């Protein structure tokens, strides 16, 4: 029986921590030939390469080098270039993760060529079509053959949209696999000392952590000004570190909002919104783990903070990850300054809550995914011993 051929697509920063555990599990499993394709949607060292290095993701077999552009242009360009890869290599499965433009582009190409599409992180819905990710999620799920879901809400959403039950699998969360694997390693990061938050290993002083990059928050001058001014008020009491996404940095300069940011003086963090360059995975994980409070518009950080037990205020009107609110530390506070400051005051006055991990967020999602792929597509190859030469421990 021939090996199962899987082509995985990654494109943007949040894809990398999702694919890492899957690639490692594939390396530990016999009977799979794997090719990793990078669309090039994110291309900077800080937005892409550093994640491959820190997470030991093998160099992509193919880089489509698409780069930045409008949504239509970027999606179309990934499609054109990825089609050639699929036609040439003929995978049995194309695996896509998350909800970025590269995810949808690869799924569309595979589906039209009659190749099985597996979507990891399927079923999440914000019910807000103004988010490009929501469109990517709905369309990707509509053409996927195997839908790997992180939380119960995902199953309900897919069933309501008419997806057959036997295509849907609750497997847990690969982003949490990655966190579980790296949390201890991240403790060795120098970031707390570099920012003057910790000396001689004693407990880090209190600080907040901010991330912002959603077009709805950063592409409108008034909205972005209001958010920064609110966080600046909060930052009068403790420093709020802000690793700035390239999109947000561009807008802050364009809208003349730089005055809301404090100067980053290494070793002397005291107050204000302290801008930082985009951080690598381990530095950011360490900074999240020790934060007193996280403020974000990211999807993944709502999940990560849930497992870390760090209070998270989500600066959006909705979430596609309701389990983080029902069971985790997440609160949806929107963009109303009063609401944000009131929620922050409450959280800062309270004890850190005990962590209650959502169902199957246990660090083993990638194992489940790979097992299901084999069960469905090559049952005869299940439990075949891994040849010594392809074992991951021989490679790293
Ligand atoms: C994309 C994803 C979003 C994800 C985010 C994480 C879509 C629709 N959006 O948004 O879901 O949460 O990635 O970062 O796919 N840029 C650089 N260097 C890079 C990449 C981008 O400077 O390596 C700049 C460019 O100016 C670019 C801008 O960032 O125009 C936005 O990049 P883009 O990939 O279009 O979308 P993101 O906002 O990053």
């Amino acid at each position: 029986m021939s090996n199962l051929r899987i082509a995985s697509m990654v494109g943007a920063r949040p894809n990398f921590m999702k694919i890492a555990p899957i690639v490692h599990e594939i390396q530990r499993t016999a009977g799979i030939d794997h090719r990793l394709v990078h669309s090039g949607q994110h291309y900077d060292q800080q937005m892409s390469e550093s994640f491959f290095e820190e997470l030991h993701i093998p160099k992509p077999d193919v880089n489509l080098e698409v780069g930045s552009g409008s949504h239509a242009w970027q999606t179309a360009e990934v499609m054109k270039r990825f089609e050639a890869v699929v036609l040439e290599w003929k995978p049995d499965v194309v695996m896509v993760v998350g909800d970025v433009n590269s995810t949808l582009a690869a799924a569309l190409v595979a589906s039209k060529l009659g190749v099985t599409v597996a979507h990891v992180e399927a079923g999440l819905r914000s019910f807000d079509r103004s988010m490009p990710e929501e469109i990517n999620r709905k369309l990707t799920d509509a053409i996927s053959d195997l839908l790997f879901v992180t939380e119960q809400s995902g199953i309900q959403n897919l069933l309501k949209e008419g997806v057959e039950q036997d295509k849907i699998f609750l497997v847990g969360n690969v982003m949490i696999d990655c966190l579980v694997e790296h949390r201890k390693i991240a403790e060795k990061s120098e970031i707390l000392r570099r920012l003057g938050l910790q000396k001689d290993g004693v407990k880090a002083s209190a600080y907040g952590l901010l991330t912002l990059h959603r077009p709805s928050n950063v592409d409108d001058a008034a909205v972005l000004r209001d958010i920064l001014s609110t966080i600046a008020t909060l930052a009068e009491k403790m420093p709020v570190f802000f690793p700035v996404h390239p999109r947000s940095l561009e807008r802050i300069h364009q809208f003349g909002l730089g005055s809301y940011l404090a100067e980053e003086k290494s070793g002397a963090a005291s107050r204000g919104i302290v801008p930082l360059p985009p951080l690598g995975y381990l530095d950011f994980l360490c900074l999240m783990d020790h934060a007193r409070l996280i403020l974000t518009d990211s999807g993944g950080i709502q999940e990560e903070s849930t497992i870390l037990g760090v209070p998270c205020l989500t600066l959006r009107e909705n979430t596609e990850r309701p389990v983080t609110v029902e069971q985790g530390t997440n609160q949806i506070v929107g963009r109303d300054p009063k609401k944000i400051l009131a929620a922050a005051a409450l959280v800062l006055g309270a004890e850190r809550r005990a962590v209650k991990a959502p169902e199957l967020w246990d660090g083993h999602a990638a194992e489940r995914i790979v097992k299901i792929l084999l069960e469905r597509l090559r049952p005869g190859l299940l439990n075949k011993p891994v040849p010594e030469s392809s074992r991951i421990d021989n490679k790293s």
Side-chain angles (χ1 to χ4, degrees), residues 11-15 40-48 67-71 74 99-103 131-133 136 213-215 245-248 250-251 297-299:
R13 187 169 61 177
N15 290 166
Q41 179 175 345
H42 284 179
Y43 42 82
D44 284 351
Q45 160 72 22
Q46 286 162 316
M47 298 294 285
S48 175
S68 301
S70 73
H71 284 255
Q74 196 173 52
D99 55 16
V100 303
N101 288 341
S102 308
T103 309
M131 284 176 79
E133 295 82 2
N136 292 342
H213 76 282
R214 294 256 160 250
H245 187 283
R247 162 199 284 284
S248 311
E250 221 175 278
R251 296 294 180 266
D297 60 9
S298 145

Side-chain angles (χ1 to χ4, degrees), residues 316-368:
R316 287 171 42 190
E317 302 300 334
N318 51 52
T319 180
E320 58 288 328
R321 294 159 159 93
V323 77
T324 62
V325 176
E326 289 149 17
Q327 290 185 36
T329 50
N330 189 22
Q331 287 184 60
I332 309 300
V333 293
R335 296 184 304 218
D336 174 3
K338 274 198 205 125
K339 220 169 151 189
I340 297 171
L341 292 174
L346 264 182
V347 159
L348 293 173
E351 290 288 306
R352 206 157 144 160
R353 277 198 359 219
V355 174
K356 189 164 174 246
E359 187 180 359
L360 300 181
W361 289 21
D362 57 1
H364 299 287
E367 286 167 41
R368 297 185 188 102

Side-chain angles (χ1 to χ4, degrees), residues 225-375:
R225 190 195 54 231
D226 284 356
I227 293 178
L228 290 177
S229 131
T230 307
I231 312 289
T233 307
L234 185 68
E236 285 166 13
K237 300 199 183 82
M238 61 180 185
V240 174
F241 292 94
F242 180 25
V244 192
H245 187 283
R247 162 199 284 284
S248 311
L249 190 65
E250 221 175 278
R251 296 294 180 266
I252 288 170
H253 289 319
Q254 183 187 339
F255 301 147
L257 299 174
S259 57
Y260 285 106
L261 306 181
E263 263 176 56
E264 190 212 338
K265 298 180 224 112
S266 59
S270 54
R271 268 179 282 172
I273 304 178
V274 187
L276 303 173
L279 297 175
Y281 183 77
L282 297 173
D283 282 349
F284 189 70
L285 176 52
C286 179
L287 215 45
M288 276 197 291
D289 206 357
H290 292 272
R292 189 70 190 79
L293 173 67
I294 295 174
L295 302 123
T296 190
D297 60 9
S298 145
I301 294 172
Q302 298 171 44
E303 299 181 334
E304 291 168 329
S305 55
T306 284
I307 293 298
L308 297 173
V310 177
C312 175
L313 304 185
T314 295
L315 306 171
R316 287 171 42 190
E317 302 300 334
N318 51 52
T319 180
E320 58 288 328
R321 294 159 159 93
V323 77
T324 62
V325 176
E326 289 149 17
Q327 290 185 36
T329 50
N330 189 22
Q331 287 184 60
I332 309 300
V333 293
R335 296 184 304 218
D336 174 3
K338 274 198 205 125
K339 220 169 151 189
I340 297 171
L341 292 174
L346 264 182
V347 159
L348 293 173
E351 290 288 306
R352 206 157 144 160
R353 277 198 359 219
V355 174
K356 189 164 174 246
E359 187 180 359
L360 300 181
W361 289 21
D362 57 1
H364 299 287
E367 286 167 41
R368 297 185 188 102
I369 290 170
V370 172
K371 188 157 172 268
I372 292 166
L373 285 173
L374 281 172
E375 268 167 9

